[in-house]
C-alpha cells in the first residue's frame, strides 16, 4: 500500500540519483537531494487497556447470506506489508501493529463497523517456508474466526515481499513456485472466493527495482521491467491454479492509480512517458496492447517479444477480474527539471484518474485503498465517497470501497525504509484499538448506503 504519508519518485529508473525524502507539515513526502530526513518523534505507545468499541451494529453475527453478495462491497483492510529493506531487515506490519496478539479483536472490530469484506494478507514469509512446505498454524486460526464471524476475505497472497527462500522479485523461478502456493492456499481454504494474487505490482516494482528501497534494491529499467513481468506472470499463473479448484473465483487487482504532472515545459515529454508507464502492470495482467513507445521500452529493458505475446494471450482471465484502484493524496506528482518530484496533492482527484483507468480497460472497478492522517480523515473519507458516487452516476461500474487500514500503521513516513516505530495515524482505530472519529463516520456511511446495489446484469461473475 501507499499512504497519506508517502510519495513516490517518478523519474527514470537508471538515469537519476535516488530522490530522498522530506516530510512536510501535512505528512506528505517531498523529493529532494538531501539524505533521508528523520521522521517525527515516536509517539508514546498507547496503553493496552480494553479497547473502546462502537456499539454493536447487530445483536448477533451470522455467516454471509447469498443476498449479501448483491450489495455494494464496503470493506476495510489490515495493513500487512513485509518487504526486505537495507541490512536484510524484514518489515512486518502485522507484527509492528500488534495484530499477531490482537487478531481476534481486529476481526471483531471489522464486524462492529458493519462490514463484511476484509482485505487481508496472511504473512507469506512465515507460512511458506520452502517449496511445498507450509506452516498454516496462525492462518488457520484467523481464517476459522473470519468464517465464524461472517467476514468475506479478499486475500492478498503477496504484499510487497517474498519468503526468504525465493530471495526477491528478480528470481525467474518465483512465478511457478507462487502458483503452487496459490493452489495450496485454495485447497486449504476452499470457501475463499476473492483474491488479490499480487498487491500493487507497479509500486512493488518502483520501490524494489527503480528506487532501490525494498527487496532486490536495484535501480534500473531492466530490473523494473523484470520485477513487473515476474509479478504479472506470477499473478496469472496463480489465477489459473485457483480457478482449477474454484471456477467462480474473483480476483481484485489492487493497484496504485498514478498521475505525473510536468513541472516545466522541458518535462512534458517525460511526464507523458511516465503516464504511459504507470499502466504497465495492468496492461500485462489484462492483455491490453501497450503503445509503440512502451513496447520499445519493454524490449530494450529485457522483455522478449515472445514474453509480451504470452501476456497478450491471457485476456480470457479478465472475466474473473475487478480492477482495484488505490488513491491517496500522494498519488499525483510534479516532476521537476532535475528529475526529482514533489507531491501535487489531489489536483485531478479520484474521479478523473479512475476515469482514465476505466476508459483504458472497461472493467468493473473497486476503490481498494485510501486513507489520510487523522486530522484530515473524515473530510477525505467523504470526498472519496462523493467522487465514487459521481463516477457511478456517470456510468463507471464501481462495486466497492475500502478504507485502508483498520488500525494505524508504522514507518510509512519513510516508505518503510527505516524501522523506527513511528506511528502513522491513518487507521480507523489507534494501535490501542480505540475508535477515531473517522471510524464512526465510516460506520455511518455504511449504514446509510447499506442497500446500494451492484448491477447483476453487468457483473454475472459477482452474482452467479
Amino acid at each position: 500500500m501507499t499512504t497519506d504519508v508517502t510519495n513516490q519518485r517518478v523519474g527514470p529508473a537508471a538515469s537519476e540519483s535516488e530522490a530522498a525524502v522530506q516530510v512536510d507539515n501535512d505528512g506528505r513526502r517531498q523529493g529532494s537531494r538531501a539524505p533521508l530526513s528523520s521522521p517525527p518523534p515516536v509517539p508514546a505507545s498507547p496503553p493496552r487497556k480494553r479497547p473502546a468499541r462502537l456499539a454493536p451494529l447487530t445483536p448477533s453475527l451470522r455467516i454471509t447470506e447469498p443476498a449479501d453478495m448483491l450489495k455494494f462491497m464496503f470493506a476495510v483492510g489490515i495493513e500487512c506489508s513485509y518487504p526486505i529493506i537495507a541490512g536484510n531487515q524484514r518489515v512486518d506490519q502485522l507484527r509492528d501493529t500488534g495484530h499477531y496478539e490482537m487478531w481476534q479483536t481486529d476481526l471483531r472490530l471489522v464486524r462492529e463497523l458493519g462490514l463484511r469484506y476484509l482485505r487481508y494478507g496472511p504473512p507469506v514469509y512465515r507460512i511458506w517456508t520452502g517449496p511445498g512446505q507450509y506452516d498454516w498454524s496462525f492462518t488457520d486460526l484467523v481464517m476459522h474466526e473470519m468464517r465464524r464471524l461472517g467476514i468475506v476475505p479478499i486475500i492478498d497472497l503477496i504484499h510487497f515481499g517474498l519468503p526468504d527462500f525465493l530471495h526477491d522479485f528478480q528470481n525467474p523461478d518465483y512465478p511457478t513456485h507462487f502458483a503452487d502456493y496459490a493452489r495450496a492456499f485454495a485447497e486449504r481454504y476452499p470457501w475463499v472466493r476473492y483474491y488479490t494474487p499480487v498487491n500493487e505490482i507497479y509500486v512493488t516494482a518502483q520501490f524494489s527495482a527503480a528506487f532501490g528501497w525494498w527487496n532486490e534494491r536495484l535501480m534500473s529499467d531492466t530490473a523494473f521491467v523484470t520485477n513487473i513481468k515476474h509479478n504479472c506472470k506470477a499473478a496469472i499463473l496463480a489465477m489459473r491454479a485457483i480457478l482449477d479448484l474454484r471456477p467462480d473465483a474473483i480476483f481484485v487487482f489492487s493497484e496504485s492509480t498514478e498521475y505525473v504532472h510536468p513541472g516545466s515545459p522541458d518535462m512534458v515529454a517525460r511526464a507523458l512517458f511516465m503516464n504511459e508507464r504507470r499502466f504497465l502492470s495492468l496492461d500485462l495482467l489484462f492483455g491490453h496492447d501497450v503503445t509503440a513507445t512502451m513496447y520499445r521500452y519493454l524490449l530494450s529493458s529485457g522483455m522478449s517479444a515472445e514474453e509480451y505475446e504470452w501476456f497478450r494471450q491471457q485476456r480470457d482471465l479478465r472475466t474473473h477480474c475487478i480492477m482495484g484502484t488505490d488513491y491517496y493524496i500522494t498519488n499525483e506528482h510534479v516532476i521537476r527539471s532535475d528529475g526529482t518530484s514533489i507531491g501535487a496533492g489531489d489536483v485531478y482527484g479520484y474521479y478523473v484518474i479512475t476515469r482514465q483507468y476505466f476508459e483504458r480497460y472497461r472493467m468493473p472497478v473497486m476503490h481498494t485503498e485510501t486513507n489520510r492522517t487523522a486530522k484530515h480523515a473524515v473530510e477525505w473519507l467523504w470526498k472519496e465517497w462523493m467522487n465514487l458516487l459521481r463516477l457511478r452516476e456517470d456510468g463507471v461500474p464501481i462495486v466497492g470501497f475500502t478504507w485502508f487500514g483498520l488500525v494505524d500503521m508504522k514507518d510509512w513516513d519513510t516508505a518503510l525504509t527505516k524501522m523506527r516505530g513511528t506511528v502513522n495515524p491513518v487507521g480507523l482505530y489507534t494501535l490501542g484499538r480505540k475508535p477515531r472519529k473517522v471510524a464512526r463516520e465510516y460506520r455511518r456511511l455504511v449504514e446509510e448506503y447499506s442497500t446500494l446495489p451492484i448491477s447483476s446484469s453487468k457483473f454475472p461473475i459477482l452474482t452467479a
Side-chain angles (χ1 to χ4, degrees):
M1 66 151 296
T2 49
T3 77
D4 182 24
V5 290
T6 68
N7 182 31
Q8 301 168 27
R9 195 185 69 148
V10 295
S15 60
E16 302 169 6
S17 60
E18 178 179 343
V21 177
Q22 292 180 331
V23 181
D24 68 14
N25 291 333
D26 192 36
R28 295 188 299 274
R29 294 173 56 236
Q30 307 291 336
S32 77
R33 297 289 182 185
L36 283 173
S37 61
S38 299
V42 180
S45 298
R48 292 298 180 103
K49 297 179 181 178
R50 182 179 179 85
R53 293 179 179 170
L54 302 176
L57 186 65
T58 55
S60 61
L61 303 176
R62 57 182 173 79
I63 299 296
T64 304
E65 296 176 353
D68 295 322
M69 311 305 286
L70 300 174
K71 297 177 183 177
F72 191 82
M73 298 168 67
F74 287 105
V76 70
I78 294 178
E79 163 60 350
C80 60
S81 301
Y82 40 77
I84 296 287
I85 60 172
N88 203 36
Q89 298 181 87
R90 172 73 73 175
V91 174
D92 186 339
Q93 287 284 289
L94 295 180
R95 174 196 66 209
D96 297 340
T97 59
H99 179 71
Y100 292 138
E101 295 76 31
M102 304 186 72
W103 62 270
Q104 290 173 300
T105 297
D106 290 346
L107 297 184
R108 174 67 62 166
L109 292 178
V110 172
R111 291 298 287 114
E112 290 185 357
L113 285 164
L115 302 173
R116 292 201 179 280
Y117 293 93
L118 171 65
R119 286 198 61 206
Y120 189 80
V124 68
Y125 80 97
R126 291 173 55 143
I127 298 169
W128 191 12
T129 57
Q133 300 174 20
Y134 311 107
D135 178 357
W136 304 107
S137 54
F138 174 75
T139 309
D140 279 349
L141 296 173
V142 176
M143 298 298 286
H144 174 78
E145 184 67 0
M146 281 190 200
R147 200 173 188 193
R148 188 187 74 83
L149 293 176
I151 290 173
V152 180
I154 304 171
I155 294 294
D156 282 17
L157 292 175
I158 293 288
H159 200 111
F160 293 151
L162 290 176
D164 294 337
F165 79 94
L166 286 175
H167 306 297
D168 58 51
F169 295 105
Q170 302 296 304
N171 184 349
D173 297 326
Y174 147 56
T176 52
H177 282 298
F178 180 58
D180 293 338
Y181 172 70
R183 178 180 293 276
F185 193 99
E187 286 176 340
R188 191 163 190 91
Y189 309 109
W191 53 275
V192 174
R193 188 184 187 193
Y194 297 89
Y195 289 90
T196 298
V198 183
N199 174 70
E200 285 193 340
I201 292 174
Y202 182 80
V203 173
T204 302
Q206 286 274 76
F207 286 17
S208 302
F211 301 171
W213 292 346
W214 297 347
N215 302 305
E216 52 262 43
R217 298 191 296 282
L218 297 176
M219 298 177 67
S220 75
D221 289 318
T222 298
F224 174 82
V225 169
T226 299
N227 184 301
I228 278 191
K229 75 178 183 181
H230 286 170
N231 271 313
C232 290
K233 183 177 181 180
I236 288 169
L237 295 180
M239 283 192 279
R240 299 284 185 200
I242 292 169
L243 286 169
D244 283 346
L245 301 170
R246 180 91 198 226
D248 65 341
I250 295 173
F251 304 100
V252 183
F253 278 99
S254 173
E255 186 57 277
S256 182
T257 50
E258 305 274 325
Y259 193 84
V260 178
H261 303 272
S264 63
D266 60 334
M267 284 289 103
V268 171
R270 187 63 196 173
L272 288 172
F273 174 82
M274 297 305 298
N275 286 328
E276 289 185 30
R277 198 177 82 150
R278 62 180 167 152
F279 294 122
L280 273 182
S281 59
L282 296 180
D283 283 349
L284 296 178
L285 282 172
F286 301 147
H288 188 280
D289 220 356
V290 301
T291 64
T293 298
M294 279 298 105
Y295 187 65
R296 290 194 298 269
Y297 172 74
L298 289 172
L299 295 185
S300 67
S301 302
M303 179 178 284
S304 69
E306 293 74 21
E307 286 176 315
Y308 179 77
E309 184 57 30
W310 182 85
F311 286 109
R312 290 278 294 142
Q313 294 171 0
Q314 312 304 315
R315 285 180 57 86
D316 61 297
L317 291 170
R318 286 167 52 101
T319 59
H320 289 272
C321 295
I322 293 172
M323 181 176 64
T325 51
D326 300 352
Y327 185 79
Y328 297 90
I329 200 166
T330 54
N331 280 38
E332 297 182 52
H333 322 271
V334 177
I335 186 168
R336 302 186 290 192
S337 295
D338 64 358
T340 60
S341 68
I342 59 174
D346 54 332
V347 176
Y348 288 167
Y350 183 71
Y351 180 97
V352 171
I353 295 178
T354 299
R355 186 91 194 205
Q356 292 173 349
Y357 279 75
F358 172 71
E359 293 296 341
R360 188 176 186 88
Y361 302 110
R362 310 297 295 185
M363 294 173 63
V365 176
M366 181 173 181
H367 195 335
T368 37
E369 286 188 23
T370 197
N371 66 41
R372 278 204 74 180
T373 50
K375 66 179 180 179
H376 302 295
V378 171
E379 175 189 354
W380 185 257
L381 168 69
W382 286 102
K383 188 172 188 177
E384 291 298 283
W385 182 247
M386 294 301 111
N387 273 260
L388 183 150
L389 289 181
R390 182 72 254 177
L391 283 163
R392 279 176 60 100
E393 291 171 9
D394 289 348
V396 177
I398 300 187
V399 301
F401 175 84
T402 314
W403 185 270
F404 206 93
L406 181 71
V407 301
D408 290 346
M409 305 169 192
K410 287 188 178 181
D411 295 321
W412 270 103
D413 50 292
T414 65
L416 304 181
T417 61
K418 303 290 183 182
M419 295 174 63
R420 294 176 174 173
T422 304
V423 176
N424 310 132
V426 295
L428 298 173
Y429 294 84
T430 69
L431 293 183
R433 277 51 179 182
K434 295 181 179 179
R436 297 188 183 280
K437 184 178 180 181
V438 68
R440 298 183 178 90
E441 285 295 301
Y442 191 30
R443 173 170 158 173
R444 181 165 73 89
L445 188 157
V446 171
E447 288 180 302
E448 291 177 353
Y449 289 90
S450 62
T451 60
L452 191 68
I454 61 172
S455 172
S456 58
S457 61
K458 290 184 179 179
F459 313 120
I461 188 64
L462 289 175
T463 55

